[in-house]
Coordinates of all heavy atoms in Angstrom, one line a residue:
M1 N -33.4 -194.7 -73.8 CA -33.8 -196.1 -73.7 C -35.3 -196.2 -73.6 O -35.9 -195.4 -72.9 CB -33.2 -196.8 -72.5 CG -33.6 -198.3 -72.4 SD -33.2 -199.1 -70.9 CE -34.6 -198.8 -69.9
P2 N -35.9 -197.1 -74.4 CA -37.4 -197.2 -74.3 C -37.8 -197.8 -72.9 O -37.0 -198.6 -72.3 CB -37.7 -198.2 -75.4 CG -36.5 -198.7 -75.9 CD -35.3 -197.9 -75.4
A3 N -38.9 -197.4 -72.4 CA -39.4 -197.9 -71.2 C -39.7 -199.4 -71.3 O -39.9 -199.9 -72.4 CB -40.7 -197.2 -70.7
S4 N -39.8 -200.1 -70.2 CA -40.1 -201.6 -70.2 C -39.1 -202.3 -71.1 O -39.6 -203.1 -72.0 CB -41.5 -201.8 -70.6 OG -42.4 -201.2 -69.7
N5 N -37.9 -202.1 -70.9 CA -36.9 -202.8 -71.8 C -35.5 -202.8 -71.1 O -35.3 -202.3 -70.0 CB -36.7 -202.0 -73.1 CG -36.3 -202.9 -74.2 OD1 -35.8 -204.0 -74.0 ND2 -36.5 -202.5 -75.5
A6 N -34.6 -203.5 -71.7 CA -33.2 -203.5 -71.3 C -32.4 -203.5 -72.6 O -32.8 -204.1 -73.6 CB -32.9 -204.8 -70.5
V7 N -31.3 -202.7 -72.7 CA -30.5 -202.6 -73.9 C -29.1 -202.5 -73.6 O -28.7 -202.1 -72.5 CB -30.9 -201.4 -74.7 CG1 -32.4 -201.5 -75.2 CG2 -30.7 -200.1 -74.0
Y8 N -28.3 -203.0 -74.5 CA -26.8 -202.9 -74.5 C -26.4 -201.7 -75.4 O -26.8 -201.7 -76.6 CB -26.1 -204.1 -74.9 CG -24.6 -203.9 -75.1 CD1 -23.8 -203.6 -74.0 CD2 -24.0 -204.0 -76.3 CE1 -22.4 -203.4 -74.1 CE2 -22.6 -203.8 -76.5 CZ -21.9 -203.5 -75.4 OH -20.5 -203.3 -75.5
C9 N -25.7 -200.8 -74.9 CA -25.2 -199.6 -75.7 C -23.7 -199.9 -76.0 O -22.9 -199.8 -75.1 CB -25.4 -198.3 -74.9 SG -24.8 -196.9 -75.8
Y10 N -23.4 -200.1 -77.3 CA -22.1 -200.4 -77.7 C -21.2 -199.2 -77.6 O -20.0 -199.3 -77.5 CB -22.0 -201.1 -79.0 CG -22.5 -200.3 -80.2 CD1 -21.7 -199.4 -80.9 CD2 -23.9 -200.3 -80.5 CE1 -22.2 -198.6 -81.9 CE2 -24.4 -199.6 -81.6 CZ -23.5 -198.7 -82.3 OH -24.0 -198.0 -83.3
N11 N -21.8 -198.0 -77.7 CA -21.0 -196.7 -77.7 C -20.3 -196.5 -76.4 O -19.1 -196.0 -76.5 CB -21.9 -195.5 -77.9 CG -22.5 -195.5 -79.3 OD1 -21.8 -195.9 -80.3 ND2 -23.7 -194.9 -79.5
N12 N -20.9 -196.9 -75.3 CA -20.2 -196.8 -74.0 C -20.1 -198.1 -73.2 O -19.8 -198.0 -72.0 CB -20.8 -195.7 -73.2 CG -22.2 -196.0 -72.8 OD1 -22.8 -197.0 -73.2 ND2 -22.9 -195.0 -72.2
N13 N -20.3 -199.2 -73.9 CA -20.2 -200.5 -73.3 C -21.0 -200.6 -72.0 O -20.4 -201.0 -70.9 CB -18.7 -200.9 -73.1 CG -18.5 -202.3 -72.7 OD1 -19.2 -203.2 -73.2 ND2 -17.5 -202.6 -71.9
T14 N -22.2 -200.2 -72.0 CA -23.1 -200.2 -70.8 C -24.4 -200.8 -71.1 O -24.9 -200.8 -72.2 CB -23.3 -198.7 -70.4 OG1 -22.1 -198.0 -70.2 CG2 -24.1 -198.6 -69.1
I15 N -24.9 -201.5 -70.1 CA -26.3 -202.1 -70.1 C -27.2 -201.1 -69.4 O -26.9 -200.8 -68.2 CB -26.3 -203.5 -69.5 CG1 -25.5 -204.4 -70.4 CG2 -27.8 -204.0 -69.4 CD1 -25.3 -205.8 -69.8
Y16 N -28.3 -200.8 -70.0 CA -29.3 -199.9 -69.4 C -30.5 -200.8 -69.2 O -30.9 -201.6 -70.1 CB -29.6 -198.7 -70.2 CG -28.5 -197.8 -70.4 CD1 -27.6 -197.8 -71.5 CD2 -28.2 -196.8 -69.4 CE1 -26.6 -196.9 -71.6 CE2 -27.1 -196.0 -69.5 CZ -26.3 -196.0 -70.6 OH -25.2 -195.2 -70.7
F17 N -31.3 -200.6 -68.1 CA -32.5 -201.4 -67.9 C -33.5 -200.7 -67.1 O -33.1 -199.8 -66.2 CB -32.2 -202.8 -67.3 CG -31.5 -202.8 -66.0 CD1 -32.3 -202.8 -64.8 CD2 -30.1 -202.7 -65.9 CE1 -31.6 -202.7 -63.6 CE2 -29.5 -202.7 -64.7 CZ -30.2 -202.7 -63.5
D18 N -34.7 -201.0 -67.3 CA -35.8 -200.4 -66.5 C -36.0 -201.4 -65.4 O -36.5 -202.5 -65.6 CB -37.0 -200.3 -67.4 CG -38.3 -199.8 -66.7 OD1 -38.3 -199.8 -65.5 OD2 -39.2 -199.5 -67.4
D19 N -35.7 -201.0 -64.2 CA -35.8 -201.9 -63.0 C -37.2 -202.4 -62.7 O -37.5 -203.5 -62.3 CB -35.1 -201.4 -61.8 CG -35.6 -200.0 -61.4 OD1 -36.3 -199.3 -62.2 OD2 -35.3 -199.6 -60.2
V20 N -38.2 -201.5 -63.0 CA -39.6 -201.9 -62.8 C -40.0 -203.0 -63.8 O -40.7 -203.9 -63.5 CB -40.5 -200.6 -63.0 CG1 -42.0 -201.0 -62.9 CG2 -40.2 -199.6 -61.9
F21 N -39.5 -202.9 -65.0 CA -39.7 -203.9 -66.1 C -39.1 -205.2 -65.6 O -39.8 -206.3 -65.7 CB -39.1 -203.4 -67.4 CG -39.0 -204.5 -68.4 CD1 -40.1 -205.1 -69.0 CD2 -37.7 -205.0 -68.8 CE1 -40.0 -206.1 -70.0 CE2 -37.6 -206.0 -69.7 CZ -38.7 -206.5 -70.3
L22 N -37.9 -205.2 -65.1 CA -37.3 -206.5 -64.7 C -38.0 -207.1 -63.5 O -38.3 -208.3 -63.5 CB -35.8 -206.3 -64.3 CG -34.8 -205.9 -65.4 CD1 -33.4 -205.8 -64.9 CD2 -34.9 -206.9 -66.6
A23 N -38.5 -206.3 -62.6 CA -39.2 -206.8 -61.4 C -40.6 -207.4 -61.9 O -41.0 -208.4 -61.4 CB -39.5 -205.7 -60.4
A24 N -41.2 -206.7 -62.9 CA -42.5 -207.2 -63.4 C -42.3 -208.6 -64.1 O -43.1 -209.5 -64.0 CB -43.1 -206.2 -64.4
Q25 N -41.2 -208.7 -64.9 CA -40.9 -210.0 -65.6 C -40.7 -211.1 -64.5 O -41.1 -212.2 -64.7 CB -39.7 -209.8 -66.5 CG -39.9 -208.9 -67.6 CD -41.2 -209.2 -68.4 OE1 -41.4 -210.3 -68.9 NE2 -42.1 -208.2 -68.5
A26 N -40.0 -210.8 -63.5 CA -39.8 -211.8 -62.4 C -41.1 -212.2 -61.8 O -41.3 -213.4 -61.5 CB -38.8 -211.2 -61.4
K27 N -42.0 -211.2 -61.6 CA -43.3 -211.5 -60.9 C -44.1 -212.3 -61.9 O -44.8 -213.3 -61.4 CB -44.0 -210.2 -60.6 CG -45.2 -210.3 -59.7 CD -45.7 -209.0 -59.3 CE -46.8 -209.1 -58.3 NZ -47.2 -207.8 -57.8
I28 N -44.2 -212.0 -63.1 CA -44.9 -212.8 -64.1 C -44.4 -214.2 -64.2 O -45.2 -215.2 -64.2 CB -44.9 -212.1 -65.5 CG1 -45.6 -210.8 -65.5 CG2 -45.4 -213.1 -66.6 CD1 -45.4 -209.9 -66.7
T29 N -43.1 -214.4 -64.2 CA -42.5 -215.7 -64.3 C -42.8 -216.5 -63.0 O -43.1 -217.7 -63.0 CB -41.0 -215.6 -64.5 OG1 -40.8 -214.9 -65.7 CG2 -40.3 -217.0 -64.6
S30 N -42.7 -215.8 -61.9 CA -43.0 -216.4 -60.6 C -44.4 -217.0 -60.5 O -44.6 -218.2 -60.1 CB -42.8 -215.4 -59.4 OG -43.3 -215.9 -58.2
R31 N -45.4 -216.2 -61.0 CA -46.8 -216.7 -61.0 C -46.9 -217.9 -62.0 O -47.6 -218.8 -61.7 CB -47.7 -215.6 -61.4 CG -48.0 -214.6 -60.3 CD -49.2 -213.7 -60.7 NE -48.8 -212.4 -60.3 CZ -49.0 -211.3 -61.0 NH1 -49.4 -211.3 -62.2 NH2 -48.6 -210.1 -60.4
A32 N -46.3 -217.8 -63.1 CA -46.5 -218.8 -64.2 C -45.8 -220.1 -63.8 O -46.4 -221.2 -64.1 CB -45.9 -218.3 -65.5
L33 N -44.7 -220.1 -63.1 CA -43.9 -221.3 -62.8 C -43.9 -221.7 -61.4 O -43.4 -222.8 -61.1 CB -42.5 -221.1 -63.3 CG -42.2 -220.8 -64.8 CD1 -40.8 -220.6 -65.0 CD2 -42.8 -221.9 -65.6
G34 N -44.5 -220.9 -60.5 CA -44.5 -221.2 -59.1 C -43.1 -221.2 -58.5 O -42.8 -222.0 -57.6
T35 N -42.3 -220.3 -59.0 CA -40.9 -220.2 -58.4 C -40.8 -218.7 -58.0 O -41.7 -217.9 -58.0 CB -39.8 -220.4 -59.5 OG1 -40.0 -219.4 -60.5 CG2 -40.0 -221.8 -60.1
D36 N -39.6 -218.3 -57.6 CA -39.4 -216.9 -57.2 C -39.2 -216.0 -58.4 O -39.4 -214.8 -58.3 CB -38.2 -216.8 -56.2 CG -36.8 -217.2 -56.8 OD1 -36.8 -217.4 -58.1 OD2 -35.9 -217.4 -56.1
G37 N -39.0 -216.6 -59.5 CA -38.9 -215.8 -60.8 C -37.7 -215.0 -61.0 O -37.6 -214.3 -62.0
D38 N -36.7 -215.1 -60.1 CA -35.5 -214.3 -60.2 C -34.7 -214.5 -61.5 O -34.1 -213.6 -62.1 CB -34.6 -214.5 -59.1 CG -35.0 -214.0 -57.8 OD1 -36.0 -213.2 -57.8 OD2 -34.4 -214.2 -56.7
M39 N -34.7 -215.7 -62.0 CA -34.0 -216.0 -63.3 C -34.5 -215.3 -64.5 O -33.8 -215.1 -65.5 CB -33.9 -217.5 -63.5 CG -32.8 -218.2 -62.6 SD -31.2 -217.5 -62.7 CE -30.6 -218.0 -64.3
A40 N -35.8 -214.8 -64.4 CA -36.3 -214.1 -65.6 C -35.5 -212.8 -65.7 O -35.0 -212.5 -66.8 CB -37.8 -213.8 -65.4
A41 N -35.3 -212.1 -64.7 CA -34.6 -210.8 -64.7 C -33.1 -211.1 -65.0 O -32.5 -210.4 -65.8 CB -34.7 -210.1 -63.4
V42 N -32.5 -212.1 -64.4 CA -31.2 -212.5 -64.7 C -31.0 -212.9 -66.2 O -30.0 -212.5 -66.8 CB -30.7 -213.7 -63.8 CG1 -29.4 -214.2 -64.2 CG2 -30.7 -213.2 -62.3
G43 N -31.9 -213.6 -66.7 CA -31.9 -214.0 -68.1 C -31.9 -212.8 -69.1 O -31.2 -212.8 -70.1
I44 N -32.7 -211.8 -68.8 CA -32.8 -210.6 -69.6 C -31.4 -209.9 -69.5 O -30.9 -209.5 -70.6 CB -33.9 -209.7 -69.1 CG1 -35.3 -210.3 -69.4 CG2 -33.8 -208.3 -69.7 CD1 -36.4 -209.7 -68.7
L45 N -30.9 -209.7 -68.3 CA -29.6 -209.0 -68.2 C -28.5 -209.9 -68.9 O -27.5 -209.3 -69.5 CB -29.3 -208.8 -66.8 CG -30.2 -207.7 -66.1 CD1 -29.9 -207.6 -64.6 CD2 -30.1 -206.4 -66.8
A46 N -28.6 -211.2 -68.8 CA -27.5 -212.1 -69.4 C -27.6 -211.9 -70.9 O -26.6 -211.9 -71.6 CB -27.8 -213.5 -69.0
H47 N -28.8 -211.7 -71.5 CA -28.9 -211.5 -72.9 C -28.2 -210.2 -73.3 O -27.5 -210.2 -74.3 CB -30.4 -211.5 -73.3 CG -30.6 -211.0 -74.7 ND1 -30.6 -211.9 -75.7 CD2 -30.8 -209.8 -75.2 CE1 -30.9 -211.3 -76.9 NE2 -31.0 -210.0 -76.6
E48 N -28.4 -209.2 -72.6 CA -27.8 -207.9 -72.9 C -26.2 -208.0 -72.7 O -25.5 -207.5 -73.5 CB -28.3 -206.8 -72.1 CG -29.8 -206.5 -72.3 CD -30.2 -206.3 -73.7 OE1 -29.4 -205.8 -74.5 OE2 -31.3 -206.8 -74.1
M49 N -25.8 -208.7 -71.7 CA -24.4 -209.0 -71.5 C -23.8 -209.8 -72.7 O -22.7 -209.6 -73.1 CB -24.1 -209.7 -70.2 CG -22.7 -209.9 -69.9 SD -21.7 -208.4 -69.7 CE -22.3 -207.8 -68.1
G50 N -24.7 -210.7 -73.2 CA -24.3 -211.5 -74.4 C -23.9 -210.6 -75.6 O -23.0 -210.9 -76.3
H51 N -24.7 -209.5 -75.7 CA -24.4 -208.6 -76.8 C -23.0 -208.0 -76.6 O -22.2 -207.9 -77.5 CB -25.4 -207.4 -76.9 CG -26.7 -207.8 -77.5 ND1 -26.8 -208.3 -78.7 CD2 -28.0 -207.8 -76.9 CE1 -28.1 -208.5 -79.0 NE2 -28.8 -208.2 -77.9
A52 N -22.7 -207.6 -75.3 CA -21.4 -207.0 -75.0 C -20.3 -208.0 -75.3 O -19.3 -207.7 -75.9 CB -21.4 -206.6 -73.5
V53 N -20.4 -209.2 -74.8 CA -19.4 -210.2 -75.0 C -19.2 -210.6 -76.5 O -18.0 -210.6 -76.9 CB -19.7 -211.5 -74.2 CG1 -18.8 -212.7 -74.5 CG2 -19.7 -211.2 -72.7
A54 N -20.2 -210.7 -77.2 CA -20.1 -211.0 -78.6 C -19.3 -209.9 -79.4 O -18.4 -210.2 -80.2 CB -21.5 -211.2 -79.3
L55 N -19.7 -208.7 -79.0 CA -19.0 -207.5 -79.7 C -17.5 -207.5 -79.3 O -16.6 -207.3 -80.1 CB -19.7 -206.2 -79.3 CG -19.1 -205.0 -79.9 CD1 -19.4 -205.0 -81.4 CD2 -19.7 -203.7 -79.3
Q56 N -17.2 -207.8 -78.0 CA -15.8 -207.7 -77.6 C -15.0 -208.9 -78.1 O -13.8 -208.8 -78.2 CB -15.8 -207.7 -76.0 CG -16.3 -206.4 -75.5 CD -16.5 -206.4 -74.0 OE1 -16.1 -207.3 -73.3 NE2 -17.3 -205.4 -73.5
L57 N -15.7 -210.0 -78.5 CA -15.0 -211.1 -79.1 C -14.9 -210.9 -80.7 O -14.3 -211.7 -81.3 CB -15.8 -212.4 -78.9 CG -15.8 -212.9 -77.4 CD1 -16.7 -214.1 -77.3 CD2 -14.4 -213.3 -77.0
G58 N -15.4 -209.8 -81.2 CA -15.2 -209.5 -82.6 C -16.4 -209.9 -83.5 O -16.3 -209.9 -84.7
F59 N -17.5 -210.4 -82.9 CA -18.6 -210.8 -83.7 C -19.3 -209.6 -84.2 O -19.8 -208.8 -83.5 CB -19.6 -211.7 -82.8 CG -20.7 -212.3 -83.6 CD1 -20.5 -213.2 -84.6 CD2 -22.0 -211.9 -83.3 CE1 -21.6 -213.7 -85.3 CE2 -23.1 -212.4 -83.9 CZ -22.9 -213.3 -84.9
R60 N -19.4 -209.5 -85.5 CA -20.1 -208.4 -86.2 C -21.1 -208.9 -87.2 O -20.8 -209.0 -88.4 CB -19.1 -207.5 -86.9 CG -17.9 -207.0 -86.1 CD -18.4 -205.8 -85.2 NE -17.2 -205.2 -84.6 CZ -16.7 -205.5 -83.4 NH1 -17.1 -206.6 -82.8 NH2 -15.7 -204.8 -82.9
P61 N -22.3 -209.3 -86.7 CA -23.3 -209.9 -87.6 C -23.8 -208.8 -88.6 O -23.9 -207.7 -88.3 CB -24.4 -210.3 -86.7 CG -24.3 -209.4 -85.5 CD -22.8 -209.1 -85.4
R62 N -24.2 -209.4 -89.7 CA -24.9 -208.5 -90.8 C -26.4 -208.4 -90.6 O -27.0 -207.5 -91.0 CB -24.5 -209.0 -92.1 CG -23.1 -208.9 -92.5 CD -22.8 -209.3 -93.9 NE -21.4 -209.2 -94.1 CZ -20.8 -209.6 -95.2 NH1 -21.5 -210.2 -96.2 NH2 -19.5 -209.5 -95.4
R63 N -26.9 -209.5 -90.0 CA -28.4 -209.5 -89.8 C -28.7 -209.4 -88.3 O -28.0 -209.9 -87.4 CB -28.9 -210.8 -90.3 CG -28.7 -211.1 -91.8 CD -29.3 -212.4 -92.2 NE -29.0 -213.5 -91.4 CZ -29.7 -214.6 -91.3 NH1 -30.8 -214.8 -92.0 NH2 -29.3 -215.6 -90.5
S64 N -29.8 -208.7 -88.0 CA -30.3 -208.5 -86.7 C -30.5 -209.8 -86.0 O -30.2 -210.0 -84.8 CB -31.5 -207.6 -86.7 OG -32.1 -207.5 -85.4
Y65 N -31.1 -210.8 -86.8 CA -31.4 -212.1 -86.2 C -30.1 -212.8 -85.6 O -30.1 -213.3 -84.6 CB -32.0 -213.0 -87.3 CG -32.2 -214.4 -86.7 CD1 -33.4 -214.7 -86.0 CD2 -31.3 -215.4 -87.0 CE1 -33.5 -216.0 -85.5 CE2 -31.5 -216.7 -86.5 CZ -32.6 -217.0 -85.7 OH -32.8 -218.2 -85.2
D66 N -29.0 -212.7 -86.4 CA -27.8 -213.3 -86.0 C -27.2 -212.6 -84.7 O -26.7 -213.3 -83.8 CB -26.7 -213.2 -87.1 CG -27.1 -214.0 -88.3 OD1 -27.9 -215.0 -88.1 OD2 -26.6 -213.7 -89.4
N67 N -27.4 -211.3 -84.6 CA -27.0 -210.6 -83.4 C -27.8 -211.1 -82.2 O -27.2 -211.3 -81.1 CB -27.2 -209.1 -83.6 CG -26.7 -208.2 -82.5 OD1 -25.6 -208.5 -82.0 ND2 -27.3 -207.2 -82.2
E68 N -29.1 -211.2 -82.3 CA -30.0 -211.6 -81.2 C -29.7 -213.1 -80.9 O -29.7 -213.5 -79.7 CB -31.4 -211.4 -81.6 CG -31.8 -209.9 -81.7 CD -31.5 -209.1 -80.4 OE1 -31.7 -209.6 -79.3 OE2 -30.9 -208.0 -80.6
A69 N -29.5 -213.9 -81.9 CA -29.2 -215.3 -81.6 C -27.9 -215.5 -80.9 O -27.8 -216.4 -80.0 CB -29.2 -216.1 -83.0
A70 N -26.9 -214.7 -81.2 CA -25.6 -214.8 -80.5 C -25.8 -214.4 -79.0 O -25.3 -215.1 -78.1 CB -24.6 -214.0 -81.2
A71 N -26.5 -213.3 -78.8 CA -26.8 -212.9 -77.4 C -27.6 -213.9 -76.6 O -27.3 -214.2 -75.5 CB -27.5 -211.6 -77.4
D72 N -28.6 -214.6 -77.3 CA -29.3 -215.6 -76.6 C -28.5 -216.8 -76.3 O -28.6 -217.4 -75.2 CB -30.5 -216.1 -77.5 CG -31.7 -215.1 -77.6 OD1 -31.7 -214.2 -76.7 OD2 -32.5 -215.2 -78.5
C73 N -27.6 -217.2 -77.2 CA -26.7 -218.3 -77.0 C -25.8 -218.1 -75.8 O -25.7 -218.9 -74.9 CB -25.9 -218.6 -78.2 SG -24.7 -220.0 -78.1
L74 N -25.2 -216.9 -75.7 CA -24.3 -216.6 -74.6 C -25.1 -216.5 -73.3 O -24.6 -216.9 -72.3 CB -23.5 -215.3 -74.9 CG -22.5 -215.5 -76.1 CD1 -22.0 -214.1 -76.5 CD2 -21.3 -216.4 -75.6
A75 N -26.3 -215.9 -73.4 CA -27.1 -215.8 -72.2 C -27.5 -217.3 -71.7 O -27.5 -217.5 -70.5 CB -28.4 -215.0 -72.5
G76 N -27.8 -218.1 -72.6 CA -28.1 -219.5 -72.2 C -26.9 -220.2 -71.6 O -27.1 -221.0 -70.6
A77 N -25.7 -220.0 -72.1 CA -24.5 -220.6 -71.5 C -24.3 -220.1 -70.1 O -24.0 -220.9 -69.2 CB -23.3 -220.3 -72.3
F78 N -24.6 -218.8 -69.9 CA -24.5 -218.2 -68.5 C -25.5 -218.8 -67.6 O -25.2 -219.2 -66.5 CB -24.6 -216.7 -68.6 CG -24.7 -216.1 -67.2 CD1 -23.6 -215.9 -66.4 CD2 -26.0 -215.8 -66.7 CE1 -23.8 -215.4 -65.1 CE2 -26.1 -215.3 -65.4 CZ -25.0 -215.1 -64.6
T79 N -26.8 -218.8 -68.0 CA -27.8 -219.2 -67.1 C -27.7 -220.7 -66.8 O -28.1 -221.1 -65.7 CB -29.2 -218.9 -67.7 OG1 -29.4 -219.4 -69.0 CG2 -29.5 -217.4 -67.8
R80 N -27.2 -221.5 -67.8 CA -27.0 -222.9 -67.5 C -26.0 -223.1 -66.4 O -26.1 -223.9 -65.5 CB -26.6 -223.7 -68.7 CG -26.5 -225.2 -68.4 CD -26.2 -225.9 -69.7 NE -26.3 -227.4 -69.6 CZ -25.3 -228.1 -69.1 NH1 -24.2 -227.6 -68.8 NH2 -25.5 -229.4 -69.0
H81 N -24.9 -222.3 -66.4 CA -23.9 -222.3 -65.4 C -24.4 -221.8 -64.1 O -24.1 -222.4 -63.0 CB -22.7 -221.5 -65.9 CG -21.6 -221.5 -64.9 ND1 -20.8 -222.6 -64.7 CD2 -21.1 -220.6 -64.1 CE1 -19.9 -222.3 -63.7 NE2 -20.1 -221.1 -63.4
A82 N -25.2 -220.8 -64.1 CA -25.7 -220.2 -62.9 C -26.7 -221.1 -62.2 O -26.8 -221.1 -61.0 CB -26.4 -218.8 -63.2

């Protein structure tokens, strides 16, 4: 896994993430918005979980954009509920 990132691995149905990266994103968001910033890290993980859910639902996009858009959509649904 590349540093400063989070990824979903379809081979073993696992999300890998750099915890320092997630903490940094929360801190940046906290400063920018005047909040605790926790949802930044949650949103990143929700996006990766979106990849897992889309795959398990049988979504097999041909374009990278469609794959990312599906993950974003599912992450948005989660974060709105959260």
Side-chain angles (χ1 to χ4, degrees):
M1 183 191 89
S4 298
N5 207 342
V7 296
Y8 169 67
C9 179
Y10 64 88
N11 289 331
N12 62 2
N13 194 34
T14 303
I15 295 173
Y16 296 98
F17 60 91
D18 178 346
D19 55 344
V20 174
F21 166 70
L22 291 183
Q25 296 306 304
K27 191 172 187 177
I28 290 166
T29 302
S30 174
R31 281 192 222 134
L33 300 178
T35 65
D36 62 15
D38 288 352
M39 282 306 288
V42 170
I44 292 167
L45 293 175
H47 171 87
E48 299 308 325
M49 183 63 74
H51 285 299
V53 170
L55 184 67
Q56 291 169 14
L57 290 173
F59 184 66
R60 306 286 190 271
R62 293 183 180 173
R63 298 182 312 158
S64 176
Y65 176 83
D66 295 337
N67 187 38
E68 294 305 315
D72 284 344
C73 179
L74 292 167
F78 169 80
T79 54
R80 184 173 191 273
H81 178 73

